C-alpha cells in the first residue's frame, strides 16, 4: 500500500513530571501495548471467531456429538473434489497470468519517468479498490451475452473460464505493480550498472543482482494474488454461472440454496487451513523483505525512457492498461447509458415492487452510511492494533496477533455473514435486526488494510523519541499523541480512505445480512443481474457505474494525500 513517510523528526513537548528510568519506561510501554491489543482481540473474538466457530459447530455437531467423519464424506463427493480442483487450478493460472502481464508494468512504473505517470498510476489502482461485483459486471458487459465482443465479432467468453481469468488479472494487476514496483523503484540501479561494467550482459546483471533482491516482493505479490483468486466470490458468482464454482461460491450455494450446513462447514475448514498456510508464507516473505535490503530514495531511480526498445515497452504497458483495465470500465459506463434519456438511471428512482422494497437508488445512500460507520470502526480497531504492533522485535504472541488481523481477507466472507445470523441472535448481542450488523462485517475486511497502511509508518518513527518522552514523564497515551500522531496523521487518512473503499464494495458477508429494505450497492447489483430483462440489466450497469465513480473518487483523494509516490500495497 502507499504509505506516507514521516516528514519531521523533532522531539515534541512532553510532560514536565518527574523523570523515570529507561527500563521502567520500556516496561510501561510494553504494558500499554498489551492493553492496546485487548480491544482488537476482543473485537475479532466476538465478530470473527465466534461467527466462524458457530457455523462450523452447527455443521459438524449433530445430535450433541461431533460428526468428524463428515469431513471424509464431503471430500469423497466427486463434485466437491471438482470444486477444490477448479479453485486451486484457476487461482494458479490467474496468478501466473497476472505476474506475466503486470511485471512489465512494475518495471515501467519503477524505472521510467514520463508525462501522465501519476494519472496512469491512479488508473491502474482503480480496479483493485472496485467491488468484485462491479468487476464481474464490467466483464459481463464486455464478454457476455450482448456485450461488446458479442456485438462486434459474435464472440462470447462468459461461458468459458477465460472470462474469470481475465477478470482476476484486471482486479489484481495493481497488486503486482504496486508491491513489486514499489520495491524495484528503491533498488539502487548502480549495483546492476557495476555488474555490467565488469562484463556481465544486461540479462545476466539483472538475473544475478536485481532478481534476487526482488524475489521477496515477487513472492509476496504472488501469494497475495493467489489468496485473492483462491477466495474469489463476486467475480466467479457473476461470470461463472452454474458451470464454474470456487470454494467460496460453493460455500454460499451449500449455505443459502441447499441448506447443507455440514458440507459448508467442512469447506470452510478446508479454506481456513489453506488461507492460514498462505498468510504464514506471506508473513515470512514480508519480514524477509523488510530486513534484508538496503534501499535508496525512489525519486532518483526513475528516468525518461531511452531508445526504441524502452519506448516500445512503455507503449506496450500503456496499451495493456487501456485494453485490460480501461476498456471493461468504459463498456460498463456505455452500457449504463444504453437507454434513451438516461432511462436506466431514472428507473433506479422507482420502486418496482419486485425484489427491492425500496427504490434501487436508495442503495447508494445505504452504502455510503454503512461505509462511513465501518470506516470509523476499522480505523479505531486497526489503529489500536497498529500501535500495538509497532516494535519489530516483538515476540511470537504479537506476531500471532498480526497474523490474526489478516485472516478476514482470506476466510470465507460468506461464512462470516451467515455466522453473524447464527452467533449474534441472543442477548446481550442480538444484532440480527440492527443496522450496525452490516458495518461490523465490513469493518472486519477494512481492519487489515488500516494495519498494513499505518504499521510501516509507525515503525519508521524513531523509538528514541518515544523513550525520551517516557523518561521525561509522559504517559504512553501522551507520548503517542505528541510523538507518533503528528507523523502518522496523513497515513491515518489514507488508511481511512482504503477502509472506506473496501467497506463500500464488501459483498460476501453483506449479501446475507443486508435487509431487503436497506440493500447495499453490491447486493443491489447482484440482485438486478439475477433477474431477467433488459431494464434490470441496464439498472445493474447504472448502479455499478455509480459505485465505480464513488470508489474512483475516493482513490483520487488518496493519491493526492500521499507524499511517498513509490509506496506499495
Amino acid at each position: 500500500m502507499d504509505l506516507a513517510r514521516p516528514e519531521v523528526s523533532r522531539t515534541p513537548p512532553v510532560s514536565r513530571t518527574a523523570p523515570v528510568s529507561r527500563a521502567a519506561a520500556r516496561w510501561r510501554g510494553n504494558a500499554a501495548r498489551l492493553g492496546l491489543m485487548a480491544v482488537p482481540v476482543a473485537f475479532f473474538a466476538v465478530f470473527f471467531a465466534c461467527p466462524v466457530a458457530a457455523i462450523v459447530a452447527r455443521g459438524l455437531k449433530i445430535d450433541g456429538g461431533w460428526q468428524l467423519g463428515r469431513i471424509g464424506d464431503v471430500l469423497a463427493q466427486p463434485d466437491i473434489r471438482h470444486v477444490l480442483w477448479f479453485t486451486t487450478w484457476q487461482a494458479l493460472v490467474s496468478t501466473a497470468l497476472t505476474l506475466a502481464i503486470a511485471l512489465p508494468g512494475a518495471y515501467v512504473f519503477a524505472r521510467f519517468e514520463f508525462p501522465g505517470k501519476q494519472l496512469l498510476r491512479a488508473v491502474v489502482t482503480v480496479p483493485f479498490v472496485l467491488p468484485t461485483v462491479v468487476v464481474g459486471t464490467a466483464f459481463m458487459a464486455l464478454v457476455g451475452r450482448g456485450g461488446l465482443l458479442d456485438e462486434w465479432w459474435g464472440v462470447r467468453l462468459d461461458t468459458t473460464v477465460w472470462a474469470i481469468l481475465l477478470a482476476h488479472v484486471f482486479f489484481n494487476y495493481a497488486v503486482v505493480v504496486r508491491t513489486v514496483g514499489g520495491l524495484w523503484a528503491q533498488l539502487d540501479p548502480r549495483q546492476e550498472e557495476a555488474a555490467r561494467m565488469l562484463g556481465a550482459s544486461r540479462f545476466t546483471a539483472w538475473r544475478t543482482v536485481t532478481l534476487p533482491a526482488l524475489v521477496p516482493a515477487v513472492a509476496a505479490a504472488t501469494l497475495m494474488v493467489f489468496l485473492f483468486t483462491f477466495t474469489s466470490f463476486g467475480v466467479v458468482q457473476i461470470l461463472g454461472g452454474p458451470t464454474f464454482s470456487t470454494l467460496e461460491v460453493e460455500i454460499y450455494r451449500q449455505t443459502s440454496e441447499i441448506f447443507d450446513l455440514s458440507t459448508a462447514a467442512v469447506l470452510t475448514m478446508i479454506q481456513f487451513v489453506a488461507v492460514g498456510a498462505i498468510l504464514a508464507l506471506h508473513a515470512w516473505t514480508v519480514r524477509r523483505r523488510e530486513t534484508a535490503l538496503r534501499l535508496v530514495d525512489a525519486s532518483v531511480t526513475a528516468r525518461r525512457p531511452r531508445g526504441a526498445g524502452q519506448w516500445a515497452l512503455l507503449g506496450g504497458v500503456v496499451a495493456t492498461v487501456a485494453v485490460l483495465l480501461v476498456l471493461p470500465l468504459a463498456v460498463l459506463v456505455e452500457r449504463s447509458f444504453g437507454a434513451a434519456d438516461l432511462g436506466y438511471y431514472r428507473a433506479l428512482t422507482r420502486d418496482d415492487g419486485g425484489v427491492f422494497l425500496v427504490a434501487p437508488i436508495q442503495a447508494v445512500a445505504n452504502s455510503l452510511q454503512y461505509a462511513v460507520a465501518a470506516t470509523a470502526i476499522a480505523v479505531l480497531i486497526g489503529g489500536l492494533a497498529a500501535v500495538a504492533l509497532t516494535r519489530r522485535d516483538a515476540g511470537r504472541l504479537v506476531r500471532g496477533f498480526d497474523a490474526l488481523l489478516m485472516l478476514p481477507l482470506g476466510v470465507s466472507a460468506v461464512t462470516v455473514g451467515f455466522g453473524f445470523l447464527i452467533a449474534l441472535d441472543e442477548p446481550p448481542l442480538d444484532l440480527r435486526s440492527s443496522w450496525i450488523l452490516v458495518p461490523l462485517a465490513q469493518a472486519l475486511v477494512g481492519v487489515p488494510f488500516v494495519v498494513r497502511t499505518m504499521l510501516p509508518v509507525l515503525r519508521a518513527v524513531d523509538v528514541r523519541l518515544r523513550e525520551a518522552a517516557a523518561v521525561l514523564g509522559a504517559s504512553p497515551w501522551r507520548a503517542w499523541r505528541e510523538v507518533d500522531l503528528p507523523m502518522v496523521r496523513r497515513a491515518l487518512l489514507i488508511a481511512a480512505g482504503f477502509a472506506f473503499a473496501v467497506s463500500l464494495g464488501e459483498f460476501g458477508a453483506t449479501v446475507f445480512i443486508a435487509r431487503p429494505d436497506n440493500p447495499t450497492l453490491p447486493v443491489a447489483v447482484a440482485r438486478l443481474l439475477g433477474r431477467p430483462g433488459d431494464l434490470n440489466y441496464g439498472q445493474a450497469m447504472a448502479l455499478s457505474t455509480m459505485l465505480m465513480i464513488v470508489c474512483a473518487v475516493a482513490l483520487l483523494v488518496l493519491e493526492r494525500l500521499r507524499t511517498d509516490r513509490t509506496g506499495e500495497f
Side-chain angles (χ1 to χ4, degrees):
M1 291 182 185
D2 299 308
L3 304 173
R5 293 180 181 274
E7 299 176 353
V8 295
S9 58
R10 58 182 177 85
T11 303
V14 295
S15 172
R16 298 301 181 184
T17 57
V20 297
S21 68
R22 188 175 296 273
R26 185 169 298 176
W27 180 88
R28 190 166 64 176
N30 289 335
R33 181 177 294 107
L34 292 176
L36 291 171
M37 288 174 56
V39 176
V41 167
F43 178 81
F44 273 76
V46 174
F47 298 112
F48 178 70
C50 287
V52 173
I55 282 291
V56 174
R58 181 70 63 93
L60 296 183
K61 196 172 183 179
I62 303 174
D63 296 330
W66 290 93
Q67 303 296 324
L68 297 181
R70 180 61 179 157
I71 299 176
D73 295 338
V74 171
L75 294 178
Q77 299 176 24
D79 56 338
I80 297 299
R81 290 202 302 268
H82 175 74
V83 168
L84 294 174
W85 164 246
F86 177 75
T87 301
T88 306
W89 175 85
Q90 65 83 24
L92 289 172
V93 176
S94 296
T95 302
L97 281 175
T98 303
L99 289 173
I101 295 174
L103 281 176
Y107 175 78
V108 165
F109 280 103
R111 294 304 195 203
F112 292 169
E113 191 65 46
F114 52 90
K117 180 177 179 179
Q118 300 308 327
L119 176 61
L120 190 64
R121 187 193 299 273
V123 170
V124 164
T125 311
V126 165
F128 180 75
V129 300
L130 285 180
T132 55
V133 170
V134 174
V135 175
T137 306
F139 271 81
M140 181 67 71
L142 180 64
V143 304
R145 179 179 59 85
L148 185 67
L149 295 184
D150 190 15
E151 288 183 357
W152 286 7
W153 296 295
V155 176
R156 289 181 56 188
L157 297 179
D158 58 324
T159 57
T160 71
V161 73
W162 280 105
I164 296 174
L165 298 179
L166 290 176
H168 283 162
V169 175
F170 169 94
F171 187 75
N172 293 290
Y173 184 92
V175 176
V176 177
V177 168
R178 295 288 187 137
T179 303
V180 180
L183 178 62
W184 208 335
Q186 294 178 283
L187 294 181
D188 192 347
R190 292 173 296 184
Q191 298 179 11
E192 189 173 323
E193 293 170 0
R196 295 198 63 194
M197 291 180 63
L198 293 175
S201 64
R202 183 184 297 273
F203 176 76
T204 301
W206 179 83
R207 180 177 57 83
T208 57
V209 176
T210 303
L211 181 60
L214 287 177
V215 164
V218 174
T222 300
L223 289 170
M224 288 304 294
V225 173
F226 183 83
L227 175 65
F228 290 141
T229 53
F230 186 83
T231 58
S232 181
F233 176 61
V235 168
V236 180
Q237 176 79 351
I238 292 176
L239 296 177
T243 307
F244 303 106
S245 179
T246 58
L247 262 176
E248 188 86 353
V249 174
E250 187 64 21
I251 292 172
Y252 174 77
R253 191 174 72 90
Q254 295 287 341
T255 303
S256 63
E257 298 178 8
I258 303 178
F259 303 106
D260 187 350
L261 291 186
S262 63
T263 299
V266 172
L267 297 180
T268 296
M269 294 172 62
I270 294 173
Q271 184 167 320
F272 187 86
V273 171
V275 167
I278 295 170
L279 290 178
L281 283 173
H282 181 264
W284 178 79
T285 58
V286 169
R287 285 198 300 272
R288 179 183 174 189
R289 179 178 53 187
E290 287 181 344
T291 59
L293 300 174
R294 290 185 177 273
L295 306 178
V296 298
D297 186 355
S299 63
V300 303
T301 63
R303 55 178 173 75
R304 290 183 64 84
R306 301 173 183 173
Q310 293 188 356
W311 281 106
L313 177 60
L314 174 59
V317 169
V318 172
T320 299
V321 171
V323 173
L324 181 65
L325 306 186
V326 177
L327 182 59
L329 299 181
V331 173
L332 173 65
V333 175
E334 186 272 334
R335 289 294 187 272
S336 73
F337 289 102
D341 300 326
L342 301 178
Y344 294 149
Y345 286 91
R346 291 195 300 163
L348 295 176
T349 63
R350 298 194 296 266
D351 181 6
D352 61 0
V355 173
F356 300 105
L357 301 180
V358 295
I361 193 66
Q362 183 62 36
V364 178
N366 294 337
S367 289
L368 292 175
Q369 293 170 4
Y370 288 144
V372 169
T375 300
I377 297 171
V379 168
L380 174 62
I381 301 299
L384 293 175
V387 173
L389 292 168
T390 298
R391 288 183 56 182
R392 292 178 180 271
D393 57 346
R396 292 182 178 178
L397 176 63
V398 177
R399 289 199 297 270
F401 173 62
D402 191 9
L404 169 68
L405 299 173
M406 294 293 290
L407 282 178
L409 289 181
V411 173
S412 171
V414 171
T415 299
V416 174
F418 193 64
F420 269 33
L421 300 180
I422 294 177
L424 305 178
D425 63 342
E426 296 179 356
L429 284 176
D430 186 0
L431 302 177
R432 286 178 302 175
S433 59
S434 173
W435 68 272
I436 196 65
L437 204 60
V438 173
L440 286 172
Q442 294 173 340
L444 282 172
V445 184
V447 167
F449 287 89
V450 173
V451 174
R452 296 273 75 83
T453 301
M454 293 186 61
L455 186 56
V457 181
L458 286 169
R459 285 177 172 173
V461 178
D462 193 339
V463 69
R464 292 173 295 183
L465 295 177
R466 300 190 191 100
E467 293 177 350
V471 168
L472 291 175
S475 65
W477 160 246
R478 183 164 186 176
W480 183 87
R481 178 167 55 87
E482 298 187 359
V483 175
D484 295 66
L485 184 58
M487 301 182 182
V488 303
R489 185 181 292 114
R490 192 180 299 270
L492 184 63
L493 293 175
I494 294 173
F498 272 110
F500 178 82
V502 170
S503 300
L504 198 64
E506 204 287 323
F507 176 60
T510 310
V511 71
F512 276 97
I513 57 182
R515 300 197 307 244
D517 58 338
N518 284 294
T520 63
L521 274 171
V523 172
V525 170
R527 289 177 180 173
L528 286 169
L529 285 176
R531 302 171 66 186
D534 291 337
L535 180 60
N536 292 318
Y537 179 82
Q539 290 183 87
M541 296 294 163
L543 278 181
S544 296
T545 300
M546 297 170 68
L547 185 52
M548 177 190 70
I549 291 174
V550 173
C551 291
V553 169
L555 177 65
L556 291 175
V557 172
L558 296 183
E559 286 290 315
R560 292 186 63 85
L561 283 174
R562 288 190 307 116
T563 57
D564 177 13
R565 298 285 181 175
T566 59
E568 58 184 281
F569 280 105

